[in-house]
């Protein structure tokens, strides 16, 4: 999130180049303005999107996105941040707001720090929000249009302890110019706390999330959803051995149906720094509850709410709900600037009582009478090249081999997906 960048250290840079002058322009005592942005272009080729042979793609399509921001610090305790976003989908027959949104006011908020002795900031306005491992609250950087919210947040930064309290309305993306609206029917509130050990090697996250959706839709029917999430996470992201363990429980109601859902996620890897190409070998696994019976008065479906658009890779665009999965993976650091990553994911339904969900948490298929658990497997490979702090390139391919479940509820065509991405940040 670009608003976390701090260029105040350039105040004493009297010999700064044009880029430094762009990132820091003094306009008074303790007042300055900073400008920045990024441009991303993606070429994507996908056959049998959504396991549907009618969506065969012969020549691919292109997604482009501009983000331009201005960060105005009026004093040591007042700040205004603004950002425009333009996302375009070329050669797409059906335009979706997550891919096409020609021009929108993506962020506009004001920060106010009322106390010099207490590290607390109040933020009001339109803003990006991302927490924890981003399984439930994410920026949605894929496929094209990033997500934002309207609301208020209190931010405490006490060094080793950082805590946010917030009340937000989701911004609904639309395929038009400056037509996005704050939704009264889609709300999020809660508290998120990150606690770190003295050397920052070990982190603990504890959080509560409240969620309201006036128009929720699940396999067992539609209704007004009021959901609460309690979760905890522990992760280590330094040294040769890395791990991330997260678990959560959800409760509440959907009309007259009660909610009781849960998830456990584990990711771990080891970096062999003394071997050629310093390989990093890891494994990820998830257990995510699903509804046992569509005809009863309770529901066990985990709602990912505002999760990422491509949690299991862009080829298999499904939400992490009603799933069991395991992902062995490896990374090879071919040079200081080049890396190759390979991931092999195996996916099953946790409960045969319901199907799988799209990333926006709507049912993927109309049929819900399949008996098979096995969804399929996906192998993916990605080359990444970071030329410098401004330019990065990605190239990759995925193949999804449809399992017995997909062949029961659809034609079960295998998905082939390839992409090339170039991004420039300043």
């Amino acid at each position: 999130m670009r608003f976390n960048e701090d260029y105040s250290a350039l105040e004493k840079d009297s010999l700064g180049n044009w880029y430094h002058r762009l990132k820091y322009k003094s306009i008074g005592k303790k007042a300055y303005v900073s400008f920045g942005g990024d441009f991303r272009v993606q070429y994507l080729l996908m056959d049998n999107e959504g396991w549907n042979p009618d969506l065969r793609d012969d020549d691919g399509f292109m997604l482009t996105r501009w983000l331009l921001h201005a960060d105005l610090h009026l004093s040591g305790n007042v700040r205004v941040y603004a950002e425009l976003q333009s996302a375009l989908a070329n050669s797409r027959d059906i335009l979706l707001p997550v891919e096409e949104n020609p021009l929108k006011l993506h962020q506009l908020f004001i920060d106010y720090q009322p106390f010099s002795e207490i590290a607390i900031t109040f933020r009001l306005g339109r803003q990006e929000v991302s927490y924890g491992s981003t399984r439930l609250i994410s920026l949605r950087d894929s496929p094209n249009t990033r997500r934002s919210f309207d609301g208020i947040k209190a931010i405490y930064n006490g060094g080793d302890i950082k805590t946010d309290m917030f009340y937000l309305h989701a911004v609904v993306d639309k395929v038009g110019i400056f037509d996005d609206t704050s939704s009264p029917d889609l709300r999020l509130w809660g508290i998120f706390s990150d606690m770190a050990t003295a050397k920052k090697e070990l982190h603990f996250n504890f959080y509560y999330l409240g969620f309201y959706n006036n128009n929720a839709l699940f396999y067992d029917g539609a209704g007004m959803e009021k959901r609460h999430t309690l979760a905890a996470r522990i992760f280590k992201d330094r040294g040769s051995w890395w791990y991330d363990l997260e678990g959560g429980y959800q409760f509440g109601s959907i009309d007259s149906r009660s909610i009781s859902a849960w998830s456990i996620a584990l990711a771990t890897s080891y970096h062999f720094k003394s071997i050629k190409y310093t390989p990093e070998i890891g494994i990820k696994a998830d257990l995510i509850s699903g509804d046992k019976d569509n005809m009863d008065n309770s529901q066990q479906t985990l709602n990912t709410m505002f999760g990422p658009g491509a949690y299991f890779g862009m080829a298999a665009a499904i939400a992490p709900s009603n799933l069991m999965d395991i992902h062995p993976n490896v990374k090879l650091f071919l040079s200081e600037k080049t890396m190759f990553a390979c991931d092999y994911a195996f996916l099953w339904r946790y409960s045969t009582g319901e199907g799988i969900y799209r990333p926006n948490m709507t049912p993927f298929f109309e049929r819900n009478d399949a008996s098979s658990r096995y969804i399929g497997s996906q192998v993916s490979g990605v080359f990444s090249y970071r030329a410098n702090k401004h330019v990065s390139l990605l190239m990759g391919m995925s193949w999804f081999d449809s399992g017995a479940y997909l062949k029961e509820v659809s034609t079960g065509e295998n998905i082939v997906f390839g992409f090339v991405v170039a991004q420039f940040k300043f």
Side-chain angles (χ1 to χ4, degrees):
M1 293 184 283
R2 302 298 301 273
F3 57 73
N4 285 331
E5 297 174 3
D6 183 4
Y7 295 96
S8 58
L10 295 176
E11 179 183 7
K12 300 178 181 179
D13 184 11
S14 59
L15 300 177
N17 56 28
W18 68 268
Y19 180 71
H20 287 180
R21 291 191 293 271
L22 180 71
K23 304 310 292 184
Y24 185 93
K25 175 64 176 176
S26 178
I27 56 174
K29 186 177 180 181
K30 293 186 179 181
Y32 69 93
V33 62
S34 178
F35 298 97
D38 67 70
F39 172 69
R40 187 179 72 178
V41 56
Q42 304 179 85
Y43 172 74
L44 304 100
L45 182 67
M46 183 180 292
D47 266 349
N48 308 320
E49 185 176 356
W51 305 283
N52 186 348
D54 295 332
L55 298 177
R56 192 172 296 277
D57 193 343
D58 295 325
D59 55 4
F61 59 97
M62 187 171 289
L63 302 177
T64 59
R65 185 183 71 196
W66 279 97
L67 286 163
L68 298 172
H69 69 258
D71 188 4
L72 175 62
H73 292 251
L74 295 173
S75 66
N77 60 350
V78 179
R79 169 205 194 191
V80 179
Y81 187 91
E83 185 173 46
L84 294 175
Q85 179 175 210
S86 175
L88 299 175
N90 302 295
S91 304
R92 287 292 257 177
D93 295 329
I94 301 175
L95 297 179
L96 302 175
V98 294
E99 295 180 345
E100 171 92 5
N101 196 329
L103 190 60
K104 64 178 287 189
L105 180 62
H106 181 53
Q107 297 192 82
L108 179 60
F109 63 79
I110 183 170
D111 280 355
Y112 176 58
Q113 296 177 278
F115 313 110
S116 58
E117 66 279 5
I118 303 176
I120 188 168
T121 302
F122 294 99
R123 177 169 296 166
L124 177 65
R126 182 164 296 185
Q127 57 197 274
E128 289 184 336
V129 177
S130 177
Y131 288 117
S133 60
T134 73
R135 289 181 177 90
L136 302 179
I137 310 296
S138 74
L139 301 173
R140 196 188 59 197
D141 201 51
S142 297
N144 205 27
T145 306
R146 286 167 72 117
R147 176 188 288 122
S148 57
F149 296 83
D150 288 336
I152 188 169
K153 181 191 297 185
I155 305 165
Y156 172 75
N157 188 348
D160 293 338
I161 299 177
K162 300 178 181 179
T163 302
D164 286 6
M165 295 181 64
F166 49 89
Y167 179 84
L168 306 164
H169 287 234
V171 175
V172 178
D173 294 293
K174 298 179 181 179
V175 185
I177 296 176
F178 291 130
D179 61 349
D180 298 353
T181 56
S182 180
S183 174
D185 297 329
L186 206 55
R187 309 174 203 165
L188 176 72
W189 62 93
I191 181 170
F192 181 92
S193 185
D194 177 86
M195 304 177 186
T197 56
K199 295 183 179 181
K200 308 290 185 182
E201 291 184 353
L202 197 62
H203 287 255
F204 300 90
N205 293 164
F206 302 96
Y207 56 97
Y208 159 76
L209 301 173
F211 177 69
Y212 171 84
N213 185 356
N214 193 47
N215 303 296
L217 178 62
F218 294 87
Y219 275 97
D220 61 353
M224 182 179 67
E225 178 181 9
K226 296 179 180 178
R227 187 178 295 254
H228 308 276
T229 302
L230 293 173
R233 176 188 181 212
I234 179 174
F235 67 97
K236 177 179 180 291
D237 58 359
R238 297 189 182 186
S240 297
W241 181 42
W242 171 90
Y243 61 85
D244 190 329
L245 176 63
E246 185 174 35
Y249 178 72
Q250 293 183 337
F251 59 97
S253 64
I254 304 172
D255 277 354
S256 60
R257 307 189 300 277
S258 62
I259 297 171
S260 179
W262 55 269
S263 71
I264 300 174
L266 170 67
T268 185
S269 66
Y270 190 85
H271 195 178
F272 296 87
K273 297 181 180 181
S274 61
I275 302 177
K276 187 178 181 180
Y277 302 135
T278 62
E280 183 176 311
I281 299 175
I283 193 166
K284 301 177 183 178
D286 295 274
L287 281 176
I288 307 170
S289 67
D291 196 27
K292 297 177 181 178
D293 185 352
N294 288 338
M295 304 304 294
D296 63 11
N297 204 37
S298 64
Q299 191 198 69
Q300 295 80 37
T301 307
L302 186 95
N303 191 337
T304 58
M305 298 182 290
F306 300 103
Y311 185 78
F312 296 106
M314 295 177 69
I318 59 177
S321 184
N322 189 32
L323 283 173
M324 300 183 293
D325 58 83
I326 187 167
H327 307 228
N329 56 83
V330 62
K331 294 179 182 178
L332 298 176
F333 297 87
L334 306 179
S335 70
E336 291 184 356
K337 298 182 178 181
T338 308
M339 182 186 72
F340 172 73
C342 183
D343 177 279
Y344 207 152
F346 300 88
L347 309 172
W348 297 263
R349 288 190 298 163
Y350 178 81
S351 171
T352 57
E354 71 170 352
I356 59 177
Y357 286 84
R358 299 178 186 273
N360 63 354
M361 281 305 298
T362 57
F364 213 114
F365 302 106
E366 292 184 4
R367 287 185 56 188
N368 194 37
D369 56 353
S371 59
S372 301
R373 288 185 185 272
Y374 186 53
I375 300 170
S377 64
Q378 177 178 267
V379 59
S380 302
V382 178
F383 280 97
S384 63
Y385 174 73
R386 186 175 176 86
N388 49 51
K389 66 179 182 179
H390 302 292
V391 178
S392 59
L393 304 173
L394 290 172
M395 180 175 65
M397 197 164 187
S398 296
W399 178 63
F400 193 98
D401 184 20
S402 300
Y405 166 72
L406 290 172
K407 293 176 180 178
E408 280 193 66
V409 297
S410 69
T411 57
E413 295 290 330
N414 297 331
I415 298 175
V416 179
F417 174 73
F419 65 91
V420 178
V421 181
Q423 188 162 6
F424 170 71
K425 292 186 177 183
F426 65 92

